[in-house]
């Protein structure tokens, strides 16, 4: 971002090239090392100082500034792309950090597998080759299954492979958290609240009393092209300020663990 700011400050190369060409009649006899020209492109017509190479014609000096402008423009485009990639990486590693803090042994093995697949960890790191296909959390409320992903592989499986397009999808708003899906296309309001509560509980703000949670249909959730696992975009969401009932969450998890 610092480099981008510097590049944006150098974006007057084009202006200098234009002013030199527009005032070419001033340089019939010789080309000075520095010239001060009126910037008639600005409202206040302020003067602008331009460094020149006296060994080159004014046309060549103007061409040099236009070339600098083109190079700087490419630099700005590249920096913007690198900033976008870096912000996505930061978001991804924040999500991995959150998942590791809440992971059991199976979850950790799957996270290692994901990091190796993305070239982040070396392949010689040992992982558990034996996969538990049902390692994601399934909670039942009024006999309706609510699936909770505890890492990106589980999130991806639940959202993009197992769920139907007309199922409701939940995620804590703007923070790392689990994908939560109700596996029923006509859930009760009570089940919707429980799923929203699970999304709040399985998020970075799980220790808060209230967490903002988004919900939308699976058909509105899209994988980000070229992005790392678990990163999605979604539309047509409803946001609610969800209170976490820890007693209820504890009862649901105890009931699931006793199965």
């Amino acid at each position: 971002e610092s480099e981008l700011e510097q590049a944006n400050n150098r974006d007057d190369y084009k202006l200098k090239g234009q002013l030199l060409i527009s005032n070419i009649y001033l340089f019939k006899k010789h080309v000075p090392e520095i010239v001060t020209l009126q910037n008639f492109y600005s409202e206040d017509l302020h003067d602008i100082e331009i460094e020149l190479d006296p060994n080159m014609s004014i046309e060549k000096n103007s061409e040099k500034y236009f070339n600098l402008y083109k190079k700087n423009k490419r630099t700005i485009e590249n920096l913007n792309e690198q900033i976008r990639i870096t912000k996505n990486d930061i978001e991804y590693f924040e999500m991995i950090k959150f998942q590791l803090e809440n992971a059991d042994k199976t979850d950790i093995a799957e996270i290692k597998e994901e990091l190796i697949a993305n070239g982040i960890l070396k392949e010689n790191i040992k992982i558990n080759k034996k996969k538990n296909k049902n390692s994601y959390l399934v909670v039942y409320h009024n006999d309706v299954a609510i699936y909770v992903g505890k890492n990106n592989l589980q999130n991806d499986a639940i959202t993009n492979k197992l769920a139907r397009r007309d199922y409701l999808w939940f995620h804590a708003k703007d923070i790392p958290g689990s994908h939560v899906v109700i596996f029923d296309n006509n859930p009760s309001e009570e089940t919707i609240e429980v799923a929203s509560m699970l999304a709040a509980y399985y998020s970075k703000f799980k220790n808060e009393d209230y967490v903002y949670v988004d919900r939308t249909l699976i058909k509105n959730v899209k994988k980000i092209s070229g992005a790392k696992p678990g990163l999605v975009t979604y539309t047509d969401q409803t946001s609610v300020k969800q209170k976490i009932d820890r007693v209820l969450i504890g009862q649901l998890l105890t009931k699931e663990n006793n199965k």
Side-chain angles (χ1 to χ4, degrees):
E1 289 176 342
S2 176
E3 290 180 26
L4 179 62
E5 184 179 354
Q6 293 175 26
N8 284 327
N9 291 336
R10 292 194 298 264
D11 204 28
D12 62 349
Y13 291 140
K14 182 179 180 181
L15 171 63
K16 290 178 178 179
Q18 290 171 328
L19 290 177
L20 289 175
I21 287 296
S22 299
N23 291 278
I24 194 171
Y25 64 92
L26 298 175
F27 306 97
K28 294 297 184 183
K29 293 183 178 180
H30 73 284
V31 176
E33 292 185 358
I34 298 178
V35 66
T36 300
L37 299 175
Q38 186 182 68
N39 180 12
F40 46 78
Y41 292 100
S42 66
E43 292 183 2
D44 59 359
L45 300 176
H46 67 276
D47 289 340
I48 183 168
E49 191 176 86
I50 304 174
E51 293 184 3
L52 300 174
D53 184 344
N55 297 316
M56 296 194 305
S57 67
I58 202 64
E59 291 90 347
K60 289 293 183 181
N61 273 282
S62 175
E63 183 181 347
K64 180 188 75 172
Y65 277 108
F66 281 126
N67 288 335
L68 287 171
Y69 164 73
K70 292 176 184 177
K71 181 179 179 180
N72 196 59
K73 185 179 178 181
R74 291 194 299 271
T75 297
I76 290 173
E77 291 171 352
N78 291 334
L79 286 171
N80 279 321
E81 176 64 8
Q82 288 302 313
I83 288 171
R84 183 192 67 79
I85 292 171
T86 302
K87 286 182 175 179
N88 284 342
D89 283 346
I90 290 170
E91 181 182 354
Y92 176 72
F93 287 120
E94 284 289 337
M95 184 163 54
I96 292 293
K97 179 175 179 288
F98 156 74
Q99 291 170 356
L100 285 171
E101 289 170 350
N102 297 273
D104 58 26
K105 290 183 178 180
T106 301
D107 300 327
I108 290 173
E110 291 180 340
I111 292 170
K112 282 186 178 180
E113 180 184 347
E114 174 190 338
L115 295 176
I116 289 171
N118 282 280
I120 297 167
L121 291 181
K122 294 181 180 179
E123 291 188 12
N124 60 3
I125 291 181
K126 294 181 180 180
I127 62 172
N128 183 5
K129 297 293 185 179
K130 186 178 179 181
K131 296 182 181 179
N132 183 354
K133 294 183 179 180
N134 299 312
S135 56
Y136 37 75
L137 176 65
V138 182
V139 174
Y140 288 87
H141 181 263
N142 292 336
D143 295 324
V144 174
I146 304 173
Y147 282 52
V148 181
K150 293 183 289 178
N151 58 54
N152 291 325
L153 293 180
Q154 295 175 19
N155 287 336
D156 185 67
I158 292 169
T159 300
N160 299 307
K161 298 174 183 177
L162 301 177
R164 285 176 22 178
R165 287 171 55 82
D166 57 349
Y167 287 171
L168 276 175
W169 179 91
F170 301 77
H171 196 284
K173 185 178 181 66
D174 298 330
I175 57 173
S178 295
H179 293 204
V180 177
V181 179
I182 300 175
F183 272 60
D184 187 285
N185 61 359
N186 189 30
S188 66
E189 287 299 321
E190 188 178 356
T191 300
I192 290 173
E193 184 176 8
V194 169
S196 181
M197 195 181 302
L198 286 167
Y201 182 77
Y202 285 96
S203 77
K204 184 177 180 179
F205 291 168
K206 65 179 295 182
N207 294 320
E208 302 291 330
D209 291 331
Y210 292 89
V211 178
Y212 282 95
V213 175
D214 289 337
R215 74 169 182 263
T216 189
L217 293 173
I218 283 288
K219 67 179 182 180
N220 299 323
V221 182
K222 308 294 181 186
K223 293 183 69 173
I224 301 175
S225 178
K228 294 181 175 64
L231 297 178
V232 298
T233 60
Y234 53 91
T235 56
D236 298 331
Q237 68 269 27
T238 299
S239 298
V240 297
K241 185 178 180 180
Q242 181 62 56
K243 179 176 175 60
I244 300 178
D245 184 340
R246 301 186 192 284
V247 174
L248 177 58
I249 292 290
Q251 291 172 348
L252 290 170
L253 296 180
T254 300
K255 181 179 178 182
E256 174 59 26
N257 289 331
N258 289 337
K259 284 191 175 183

